[in-house]
Amino acid sequence: MSAENIARRARPTRTSQPSSWPWARTAGWALSCAALALVGYVVVAVTLGAGFEQDLVAAAEREGVAVNAVATSTQAQITHDHALYALITGLFLLLPPAFLLRAASKVRTGAAGGLAQFAWWSALATLIVWWTYVALGMGLFANPENLPPLVRDFGPLTVPLVSALSLLALSSLMFASEAVRGADVARRSARVATVVSILLGALSLIALFATGLEDPVAPLVIVPGALILGIALLRSNRRPPTATGAR
């Protein structure tokens, strides 16, 4: 064997595609599912919830308040009048925070570091606040004249709770994006997801205060960033090709 052949064989192996990250596929699917679950909720609300929304708007006009400030007893009566729709949407809302926590768990496993830890803790806090809100909403199925203590404050709690869960979810997404970027996975897409999330978060906060805290920061604020990062992680998770040395 000549010295030239030995030198060629000693060169580093080259591949045409990046190595795969086993955790990226699961995280990518979870983020995509969180975003699609929120989009699905909107589709259900638009297609099945017209009567519910009309009754809520009419009640707000009668009481001379914003939609989110309608008396809780009135909201309970409307919930009873549209029980199937309220039940479907309530159960639907349990999904997004669970998917987000799943994604953060996989990012914490694969990317590691402080940002990944922050992503997981923020996702856990999101799930707790989000499911608490859904549980309070389910309490509206009780007798409108005898609602459980916490449920009686459902109306006033809507804006702060929904805003809190939305901002927590957005924080988890941003931490996850930067953790993924720090792990050298889908770097450009991860940074785009972070920038988009920051911009949407800032605009949502401006709108929140511009409306006098009448309309909360909606959970939909995470959809663009979650889709960007989720799809990027799915695309990054490719099987490494068979290594071939230079000839």
Side-chain angles (χ1 to χ4, degrees), residues 27-128:
W29 275 118
L31 285 170
S32 299
C33 287
L36 292 176
L38 285 168
V39 173
Y41 170 81
V42 173
V43 171
V44 171
V46 171
T47 56
L48 301 179
F52 182 91
E53 292 298 329
Q54 288 173 2
D55 288 353
L56 197 58
V57 170
E61 291 176 352
R62 287 196 304 270
E63 297 178 9
V65 298
V67 171
N68 290 310
V70 171
T72 306
S73 59
T74 303
Q75 292 188 48
Q77 186 58 58
I78 295 173
T79 297
H80 280 260
D81 293 340
H82 303 274
L84 181 59
Y85 167 74
L87 179 62
I88 292 173
T89 51
L91 295 176
F92 214 101
L93 282 176
L94 294 174
L95 299 176
F99 283 128
L100 184 63
L101 182 61
R102 175 63 171 166
S105 297
K106 300 308 293 185
V107 169
R108 184 174 68 162
T109 298
L115 290 173
Q117 293 289 341
F118 286 139
W120 187 85
W121 282 109
S122 298
L124 179 61
T126 299
L127 183 139
I128 292 172

Side-chain angles (χ1 to χ4, degrees), residues 11-243:
R11 291 174 184 169
T13 300
R14 296 184 298 180
T15 61
S16 58
Q17 296 179 351
S19 299
S20 63
W21 295 272
W23 54 271
R25 181 178 179 82
T26 303
W29 275 118
L31 285 170
S32 299
C33 287
L36 292 176
L38 285 168
V39 173
Y41 170 81
V42 173
V43 171
V44 171
V46 171
T47 56
L48 301 179
F52 182 91
E53 292 298 329
Q54 288 173 2
D55 288 353
L56 197 58
V57 170
E61 291 176 352
R62 287 196 304 270
E63 297 178 9
V65 298
V67 171
N68 290 310
V70 171
T72 306
S73 59
T74 303
Q75 292 188 48
Q77 186 58 58
I78 295 173
T79 297
H80 280 260
D81 293 340
H82 303 274
L84 181 59
Y85 167 74
L87 179 62
I88 292 173
T89 51
L91 295 176
F92 214 101
L93 282 176
L94 294 174
L95 299 176
F99 283 128
L100 184 63
L101 182 61
R102 175 63 171 166
S105 297
K106 300 308 293 185
V107 169
R108 184 174 68 162
T109 298
L115 290 173
Q117 293 289 341
F118 286 139
W120 187 85
W121 282 109
S122 298
L124 179 61
T126 299
L127 183 139
I128 292 172
V129 177
W130 197 314
W131 282 9
T132 297
Y133 175 74
V134 173
L136 290 174
M138 290 295 185
L140 295 175
F141 282 100
N143 184 349
E145 302 301 326
N146 188 27
L147 293 172
L150 285 177
V151 178
R152 294 171 194 164
D153 296 323
F154 180 78
L157 289 174
T158 294
V159 171
L161 279 180
V162 173
S163 297
L165 67 87
S166 298
L167 294 175
L168 283 169
L170 196 63
S171 298
S172 178
L173 178 60
M174 289 188 291
F175 287 135
S177 297
E178 289 305 297
V180 166
R181 185 173 180 273
D184 202 26
V185 183
R187 290 177 60 84
R188 290 184 180 179
S189 296
R191 177 48 58 88
V192 170
T194 299
V195 172
V196 168
S197 297
I198 290 174
L199 289 176
L200 290 177
L203 291 175
S204 298
L205 284 174
I206 291 173
L208 174 66
F209 290 103
T211 59
L213 304 179
E214 290 185 354
D215 296 317
V217 177
L220 283 171
V221 73
I222 73 168
V223 169
L227 283 177
I228 291 170
L229 184 60
I231 293 172
L233 287 173
L234 288 172
R235 288 170 59 88
S236 71
N237 188 258
R238 305 168 182 170
R239 289 185 178 180
T242 302

